[in-house]
Amino acid sequence: MNIWLVHPFAGGPDLGRHWRPFWLADAWQRMGHRTLVVSAGFHHLHREPRAPGPQRINGVDFWFLDTPRYGKGSLDRLRNNLSFGPLLRSGSTAIAKQFGAPDLMIASSPHLFFISAAHRVARRFDAKFWVEIRDLWPESIVALGMTPAWHPLIKLLRRKERYAYRAADRVVCLLAGAENHMRACGLPAGRFMWIPNGVSEGEIRNALTIESLSHPLIDRINLMKQQGRRVVLYAGGMGPPNAMEVILDAAAALGRTNPEIYFILIGSGTSRAELEQRATALANLEFQDEVDRSIVHGMLHASDCAVVSFHNNALYHHGISPNKLFDYCLFAPRSLIACERKALAGLEDLVTRRCEPDDAAALAASLVAALNDLPRSSSERMAVAQQYSYSTLAAQYLADCAIAPAV
């Protein structure tokens, strides 16, 4: 089968975040399918712009579209997003000439502006058309207070959301509880499939040798532990959805009652400067800049516990699937999530403890309890992670797709 996986912000080795398209493509290729990832040549998550056209990255074929550059201005970013669909349509002939026409077109949605274009390309080549929903648009940006419900952009996105659900032969969603919402927005019965994020086989193999990894940040954690510290690590984005202020408030409380507990927060995002200002007086907490995934994994392994926090928001009733949960499970000896029980449905085995969201006192108490728990063994963590390996997820993805592998 010839698969085109279209994702405007696709990441991977030396590309940046959003590795899921790369890992799925790699797994499908090993299953005997020919796979191409189509992405934007420029977007804000890239480490550096990519020349338009085909490139092979660590064995996976990419085709980059010549999307316009932009800085911090939201209008220029919107222009970039809007350009992706027309560029996909105009470039599809050249793509098909080099890689073959698709049997299956998958449109993965960090935004919805290109869905109709991808659908038209799929129809042109008589391909099956699937849509992958990472976050619910536009519900996510409304629920998180980023854009008001009355805004014309939200009305446009609602129309595009309904179009996507009606047009797709299947909707693959990362959120376990999203089907009812999608059905209410026009998704026909029997077309929903839940496939969460996961971990690559390479990372599972790396977990076997992670103790030998050396880096100044890993050494720093090990030294703190030798001095009697208990290190709690957060690794990920620092924006409004991440409820980082609750972690800061828990750290402040523990600084008074359990000064041996020390927090290291690693990552970037729109809220980081504000968070650093809020944490100025905390002696038991530090921020670190983003580093390569392998170093983050080594830091998780060296830490005593990993933590993540979500707000109490009806949006999360549909479920969550943050990449960090899978990294935490595989590499950290303990992990704690602050979220509603419903949000974690289907992923409970990834974490060792859960507490209620938006409650710094509950988070602080749960951290103390987690640190008193026995650590999860490496073999136990790897067994859980294996259930979410991308080879397993890739096979589930295509389980009942009646198209044979490529020859």
Side-chain angles (χ1 to χ4, degrees):
M1 175 165 56
N2 198 354
I3 304 170
W4 289 13
L5 176 50
V6 184
H7 187 305
F9 298 165
D14 297 321
L15 287 175
R17 289 154 50 189
H18 291 316
W19 283 54
R20 178 182 172 99
F22 172 85
W23 280 324
L24 284 172
D26 179 66
W28 286 329
Q29 286 180 178
R30 286 186 278 106
M31 291 168 59
H33 302 288
R34 186 173 189 183
T35 309
L36 174 70
V37 178
V38 182
S39 191
F42 177 86
H43 58 75
H44 62 288
L45 298 178
H46 262 179
R47 292 185 177 178
E48 59 184 32
R50 292 282 168 162
Q55 295 181 41
R56 193 166 179 83
I57 300 174
N58 283 38
V60 173
D61 287 313
F62 280 74
W63 189 289
F64 294 103
L65 301 175
D66 193 14
T67 50
R69 310 286 180 92
Y70 59 90
K72 295 184 178 180
S74 57
L75 285 179
D76 287 339
R77 179 170 168 176
L78 178 61
R79 188 176 299 112
N80 172 285
N81 292 349
L82 291 171
S83 75
F84 187 84
L87 288 169
L88 174 64
R89 290 185 66 185
S90 63
S92 59
T93 299
I95 298 172
K97 184 176 181 180
Q98 181 156 345
F99 290 96
D103 300 303
L104 171 62
M105 167 84 75
I106 303 171
S108 185
S109 66
H111 63 72
L112 295 171
F113 295 115
F114 72 102
I115 299 295
S116 59
H119 183 217
R120 291 187 181 97
V121 172
R123 287 194 302 182
R124 176 188 164 200
F125 291 115
D126 196 27
K128 289 182 179 292
F129 179 65
W130 294 1
V131 172
E132 181 179 83
I133 299 295
R134 305 176 60 85
D135 299 295
L136 294 177
W137 290 82
E139 185 173 354
S140 295
I141 55 178
V142 173
L144 295 173
M146 300 168 69
T147 309
W150 54 261
H151 197 283
L153 178 62
I154 299 302
K155 295 180 179 179
L156 172 63
L157 287 173
R158 289 198 191 283
R159 290 198 297 271
K160 290 188 174 297
E161 179 187 31
R162 291 178 178 274
Y163 176 92
Y165 298 153
R166 291 194 304 268
D169 298 309
R170 173 177 294 171
V171 170
V172 176
C173 187
L174 281 68
L175 311 175
E179 183 175 7
N180 288 341
H181 167 81
M182 293 178 176
R183 292 286 302 279
C185 294
L187 177 68
R191 296 190 186 179
F192 177 88
M193 174 180 279
W194 173 53
I195 302 288
N197 278 318
V199 293
S200 72
E201 278 67 23
E203 291 182 336
I204 293 174
R205 289 192 299 270
N206 290 343
L208 295 171
T209 59
I210 195 69
E211 289 186 12
S212 64
L213 185 65
S214 180
H215 186 272
L217 288 174
I218 300 172
D219 296 341
R220 175 169 170 73
I221 293 174
N222 287 326
L223 179 61
M224 287 182 182
K225 291 170 66 176
Q226 291 171 15
Q227 296 170 343
R229 296 277 200 178
R230 305 300 303 279
V231 178
V232 174
L233 186 70
Y234 172 86
M238 297 187 185
N242 300 111
M244 298 293 295
E245 65 276 12
V246 181
I247 296 177
L248 298 189
D249 291 346
L254 291 170
R256 295 186 292 270
T257 62
N258 299 78
E260 76 282 1
I261 299 177
Y262 191 86
F263 291 76
I264 298 178
L265 313 181
I266 182 168
S268 62
T270 56
S271 301
R272 173 157 169 167
E274 179 184 343
L275 292 167
E276 287 185 286
Q277 180 63 34
R278 181 169 178 159
T280 301
L282 298 182
N284 63 336
L285 183 147
E286 67 182 60
F287 289 83
Q288 294 288 345
D289 292 333
E290 286 186 85
V291 292
D292 287 342
R293 286 180 60 83
S294 62
I295 305 306
V296 173
H297 295 161
M299 294 175 70
L300 287 167
H301 178 265
S303 71
D304 292 293
C305 184
V307 66
V308 61
S309 179
F310 286 86
H311 287 297
N312 185 359
N313 191 307
L315 172 67
Y316 302 127
H317 293 174
H318 302 299
I320 57 174
S321 190
N323 282 307
K324 62 178 71 67
L325 274 192
F326 302 89
D327 294 334
Y328 286 8
C329 172
L330 183 55
F331 292 101
R334 305 169 185 84
S335 55
L336 169 64
I337 185 170
C339 71
E340 294 178 87
R341 187 178 301 278
K342 185 183 292 188
L344 196 60
L347 301 175
E348 294 90 347
D349 54 352
L350 290 173
V351 298
T352 53
R353 279 187 178 263
R354 184 196 68 84
C355 70
E356 290 303 307
D358 288 333
D359 187 336
L363 180 58
S366 294
L367 279 168
V368 172
L371 290 168
N372 286 328
D373 291 338
L374 291 174
R376 233 178 188 180
S377 70
S378 175
S379 59
E380 180 185 356
R381 287 184 277 114
M382 290 179 67
V384 173
Q386 188 64 54
Q387 301 174 49
Y388 302 95
S389 72
Y390 270 102
S391 61
T392 299
L393 299 178
Q396 293 173 359
Y397 214 113
L398 304 182
D400 60 351
C401 187
I403 305 177
V407 293

